[in-house]
Amino acid sequence: MGELGRHRKTSGGMSRRNILRAGSIAGLSAAAVPVLGGTAFAQPGRGQNRLSTFEPIRPPATPLAVRSPYLSTWLASDSLPGTWPSFWTGRTTAMTGIVRIDGVPYVFMGAPAVDAAPVSQGMSQISLVTTATRSTFTLTGGGVELVVTFLSPIEPGDLRRQSAPLSYLSMRASSADGKAHAVSVYIDVSAEWAHGDSGTKVGWASASTSGVRSLTVTPSAPSVLAENGDMASWGTVVWSTPERSGLTWQIGEDQVVRAAAVQAGKLAGTTDPNQPRAIGDHWPVLGLNLDFGRVSAATDPFVVSIGHVRQPAMRYLGAPLQPLWTSYWPSWQDMVAAFHTDFVAASGRASTLDNKVTADARAVGGDKYAALCALAVRQAYGGTELVVRDGKPWAFLKEISSDGNVSTVDVTYPGMPIFLYLDPQRLGLLLAPLLDYAENGGWPKDYAEHDLGSHYPDAAGHNDGQEEDMPVEESANMLIMTAGYLARLTAADAKTFAAAHYPILKRWADYLVGNALDPGLQNQTDDFTGWIAHSVNLALKGIVGVGAMSRISTAAQNAADATHYLSTARDYIGQWATMGQDGAHLRLAYDQPNTWSQKYNGYPDQLLGLGLISSTVADHEAAWYLAHRNQYGVPLDLRHSYTKTDWELWTAAWQHRNAAIRDALITDVYNFANTTPNRVPFTDWYDTLSGRQQGFQARPVIGGVFALLTLPR
């Protein structure tokens, strides 16, 4: 669909592009079958798609440029040619790739129709390899092999590099038939990247700074700190590449710019003067073209970066916050130049990280677990971003695709494992504003807040107390995350942190002492299942939260409190096991016999080394889960057949010594991700019978996949 037939209308008066807009977010699979007609190239073949291999998994949607909540573009199909890339919501964020081989054009990315210069064929995709940081497509056509790599760097512990809202795209050509071929590569992005409404007027520009050519597009009347369709309504899209011989550029109507590349293999170096104009008015694109000349051996890569720069980035309690990158570079132009200078080194660091994730995950959970971890990394990081507040770094998280809240505690919590494993500093930065708000921001209640604001990027707080209260849930979450973070600091740093926040943490722990053993009617993180009284799983979380306070007290060198909270947790867990028992398994709720639920909150007991849950209880639960598995996993409880990806892997981590249930859960989630018909960024809520998405996508909670990698080995 996408940009095909832009000047045509369907019989119903809706453009083919708008047909895609009308689809539901969950129905993204429609984007995988372009509507072709007129001069559009022939789809690279449903038969050709079957030839493509996928290593180590066929992603439900492949991450392309995934760096922040607003730089989040995916491929919602198997094949790079023939489908428009899209924002995580499903809105087209068009990227076009056309390679001209011996004068013959082939599409290798997107689904363009070029009326003035028809492109009759697409390249054949041979493989897709997905790692923690890269998605690499190998394609062939016209005797040439083209390797297209999307690299979104993950830089644990390097705040400077991690703060850059930029992602790489590189293309390398070589002969596939032993003959030399004339090759030029054209790529563009459309103005759709700049706003969620194609009726919005935008302006564009081209400039060369520090040896880098940057083409940009910006809303002409930006709405600062506002969204449209979850896309930022302010900021600038930056499409950049180093200046080099054979490089040409052009900004203008898609049909005009693409036709120039197809016909001549070069662009005019001009900027369409008809601006500002609506995104959907002759669809302006930012085009780049590199003439490789005669190609036999592999070329040097054609490296382009895509970014979205916004100032300010957030608002916290009424005060605007700048993106953290402004602490390191005086302008985005300087940042982009540094990003390109760093490409070779960044690629090396990315390979090291890719290899580490694969090796570590394979060692604890096998090849399928390694595949799930590789798929989760960019998505987990891409739901967060770094800002600066009073000269110090902070991190915020967006509750993507559900409520859109700012730094939701029970969304940060399930995503915690990836940061404990790869980047504890990042977890500390995510905790910082949550603690600050409770301590200094006017939060009025004795238990932890649910979030920092009703909608990203405005962390307005809830000083009136009106929010989605989850008292036991969020208080325990904050204590468990804090204890996990402290365990990864030096003793001195842990003492400093624990002492600085001790009063608020103790307040939450004392709330749990009074309420965790038998929670009243409360909401909890799986709020789609409804409020529940006497929840056995919620009680478990609260008890582990009390135990977590013992670890925090130890870090703060308060031995008396450490003893008190640990003994309380031990006393409570004994009562919990008795009250929750229902034959050979635990109940859903204390007062509901003949019920059961998945006790994923056993994982933090293992994480913190508390040893609260007896091996007998754990073994009985494992046997019950094995007996109640469906094709794609264990349901959350007996009321529905759906489950959550993060909780499946949390349960696998809790049961990591029981190979049968651990491996079964890993296999079930892998099989779901590898075969689900819903082509959306890795969902964490799906049906265990059909393998279909139940809801949610692209959420940072997917970092919970890493739970097994946080345990002592």
Side-chain angles (χ1 to χ4, degrees), residues 107-129:
V107 169
F108 68 85
M109 177 167 57
V114 186
D115 291 344
V119 183
S120 62
Q121 55 196 316
M123 299 191 86
S124 298
Q125 184 174 303
I126 302 303
S127 67
L128 166 60
V129 177

Side-chain angles (χ1 to χ4, degrees), residues 13 31 123 140 142 168 192 200 311 345 349 416 476 530 533 616 649 672 702 711:
M123 299 191 86
T140 61
Y168 296 109
E192 289 158 294
T200 298
Q311 290 183 259
R349 293 191 302 272
M416 163 186 67
T616 299
L649 274 301
F672 156 72
I702 212 66
L711 303 178

